Amino acid sequence: MATFQCSSCGQEIKPAVRCPHCGADQPQWVEHLAEIERSIAEMKAREAAIASEQRQIAAKMQAALFQRDILAHAGEERLKQATRPRRVLRRRAGRRPPTAT
């Protein structure tokens, strides 16, 4: 915590409205308080920006994971189709199809 020099007696004091030694009013505490308030406001604004960015990144990640799962599933199906033996219907010589008269 910052310390100030009393404008009346010259002793080092913590931020306060009045000097604990001589009782004189201390104007610098108002400036210090305003500086702290500005700092808090800047941190809150930055926190809100970070939270917004985090939500956007989470949404993009969820979409990417969904697309990855779809593509992985499609690839697995394609491999299954490629490795599955194909059934080829062949006619025996001399046999006619059942629909032929």
Side-chain angles (χ1 to χ4, degrees):
M1 181 179 283
T3 59
F4 299 103
Q5 187 173 7
C6 176
S7 58
S8 181
C9 66
Q11 293 207 13
E12 286 289 317
I13 60 170
K14 293 181 180 177
V17 178
R18 294 185 183 277
C19 175
H21 303 286
C22 67
D25 287 334
Q26 300 299 312
Q28 58 274 55
W29 75 272
V30 175
E31 295 165 9
H32 186 64
L33 181 62
E35 182 182 321
I36 291 172
E37 291 290 335
R38 279 191 301 273
S39 177
I40 289 170
E42 289 171 3
M43 286 187 273
K44 283 183 179 182
R46 181 68 182 132
E47 180 184 27
I50 289 171
S52 174
E53 184 179 2
Q54 186 178 21
R55 284 190 300 272
Q56 290 174 349
I57 290 171
K60 286 179 183 179
M61 185 184 308
Q62 186 176 10
L65 290 171
F66 182 70
Q67 287 178 340
R68 181 199 63 186
D69 292 345
I70 289 173
L71 291 174
H73 181 69
E76 290 170 3
E77 289 297 316
R78 182 174 280 172
L79 283 175
K80 284 180 186 177
Q81 293 292 331
T83 58
R84 186 180 301 167
R86 296 179 70 197
R87 285 185 61 190
V88 178
L89 298 176
R90 295 185 184 157
R91 287 192 209 155
R92 293 185 186 166
R95 285 195 75 192
R96 292 175 28 175
T99 56
T101 56

